[in-house]
Amino acid sequence: MRLSVFMKPWLVASLLIFMVLGCQKAAPVKAEERPVPGGEPGNPKNTDTPVKVAKNAIGSEIQEFNEKTDAFKESVDRLRQGNPWSDFEPTGFYLPPNTVLTLKVEQLAGSALPKLLIGTYSFDTLRWDPLSVKLTAGTNTIAADPLGGLLWVRYTTTGTPAAKVRITFQTGAVRAPVFIKDETVDWQAQLNTYTGAPAALLLNKNVYLVVKRSRALSTGSDAANFILQTIDKGVDKGENYISGLDGSAPEHQLPTHKILMTESNKRGLWGAASYYRTWFAPGLMDEALTAQKIIASGWGAWHELGHMRQQQAWKWSVLGEVTVNIYTMAAERAINGGGATRLKGAPTTNAMNFLALTDPNKDFNSNTQMADGNFTRLFMFHQLWLAFGDNFYIRLHQQTRSERPDLSADADKMRYFMLKACTISGRNLSRFFRKWGFRVSESVYTEIAGLGLPEPETDPSTLKDS
């Protein structure tokens, strides 16, 4: 379907000024190729009609896609995480139900061809995972689909990425509203014009945020930009930072892929994370992902993003909802959020009460003597941060990526974490782990003693937020 071309007054005026001043002659820029205006002087802040997107940009009829590394190879193999990230890219188009889609695929490099995904992971329980269609070179006619959905392109390889295609969207698909951080100037105009899609897409450096149209309509341009800016800050200076993704070695490069965050109509779950996506109930969206509340109560958003980062080598069975909050708290500190002090009060009291127990059989992995187990266990990880700072977790992540341990048993994961904690901190932490009820083979404590490390100058088990 051809999209109408809008010639803006500022463009005409600019061309006239160049002609009058005798500037260097240049061929007129076609509207299809004109970059989307940003915030620079002279560009409109809000337009009455949607800005014509640049060729190859999201929402353009003609887009080019480069092959990328498969999410399992990157997230699980390189980064040593549990959940593969969102290894697909948005097109800015929506396929209405029962509509035939036609598009043309041209091979520009290599021989591999992408897949088209119809629908968004976990957006709707009617289609929890998108329909995947393998594309072929030339014209593709995709039969009418009863559900439709946003269109995405998955173009991945477990080898070295080398292929490239150009896709021309011809008939069937309609535009969906798309807000790009620090770029979009026509948000309201898009919402007024692109009414055929029940969802809208907001994106920044790190995430794809998919929301229902009703939520998009109530989210102004400034609010949308603030949400996306805050997410980038929390991820870049918080979750990615504490994960040691500093580019200092190939294994410590930032991920290729973003993470999908989608509003979902699934009942019974407040928020969750799984392969290729995180999803949020409308109530959690209200609580954590609005401009008014993301700073004060964004914990749930950072928490689900944190699940996509948990390294498996030191996440034994009781830590699924524990180590995730290492990233949550790092993000909260980065944005000066309300959750940065989440462990004050009752969590501190519960942890100190557990530490004070003299029962030799107390067990870190059991809730029998532990109140609010997940947050009490988190307090142990927090005390290591209080004692040794950000660098403790940065080095733990980096060494886990470099060493690539392949562990499955809880005992092996606990041993790995305990030894790493000691070598990274440069301290014998046996007393600390015994106080926390780490009931491992005595041989692990013997190994720690064999490292010949000094005791901590300050007992980490006494530390708490001031």
Side-chain angles (χ1 to χ4, degrees), residues 423-452:
T423 57
I424 290 170
S425 68
R427 296 286 186 244
N428 184 329
L429 297 174
S430 290
R431 289 186 181 180
F432 175 75
F433 289 130
R434 289 188 189 277
K435 283 187 177 181
W436 271 106
F438 273 48
R439 301 182 66 185
V440 296
S441 169
E442 195 62 28
S443 64
V444 177
Y445 288 107
T446 301
E447 281 188 84
I448 293 174
L451 297 173

Side-chain angles (χ1 to χ4, degrees), residues 388-428:
F388 306 115
D390 293 340
N391 198 49
F392 176 85
Y393 285 110
I394 290 171
R395 292 179 62 192
L396 176 59
H397 282 86
Q398 290 182 338
Q399 291 183 23
T400 300
R401 285 194 290 271
S402 297
E403 295 171 7
R404 301 171 56 82
D406 185 14
L407 309 174
S408 57
D410 279 3
D412 293 333
K413 293 184 177 187
M414 291 182 71
R415 172 186 172 275
Y416 181 78
F417 175 76
M418 294 168 71
L419 290 170
K420 284 283 100 181
C422 292
T423 57
I424 290 170
S425 68
R427 296 286 186 244
N428 184 329

Side-chain angles (χ1 to χ4, degrees), residues 31-72:
E32 177 65 24
E33 299 172 348
R34 177 168 60 79
V36 177
E40 64 270 20
N43 281 334
K45 299 298 182 183
N46 293 285
T47 63
D48 295 328
T49 54
V51 172
K52 185 68 176 183
V53 298
K55 185 177 180 180
N56 295 334
I58 298 171
S60 171
E61 295 170 17
I62 302 173
Q63 299 180 42
E64 294 179 359
F65 296 89
N66 292 292
E67 192 176 40
K68 294 185 177 181
T69 301
D70 170 81
F72 270 92

Side-chain angles (χ1 to χ4, degrees), residues 235-303:
V235 170
D236 288 339
K237 298 182 182 299
E239 300 202 356
N240 282 347
Y241 165 72
I242 207 71
S243 301
L245 294 169
D246 58 9
S248 58
E251 63 267 30
H252 308 321
Q253 296 292 328
L254 287 170
T256 302
H257 305 294
K258 301 181 194 288
I259 296 176
L260 172 66
M261 305 174 73
T262 185
E263 185 170 11
S264 177
N265 67 354
K266 184 175 178 62
R267 296 181 181 276
L269 281 176
W270 191 236
S274 186
Y275 287 6
Y276 308 120
R277 90 301 293 264
T278 61
W279 72 93
F280 304 83
L284 180 52
M285 296 288 291
D286 293 338
E287 175 183 287
L289 286 166
T290 66
Q292 295 80 13
K293 295 185 177 181
I294 190 171
I295 300 294
S297 59
W299 180 278
W302 309 122
H303 176 91

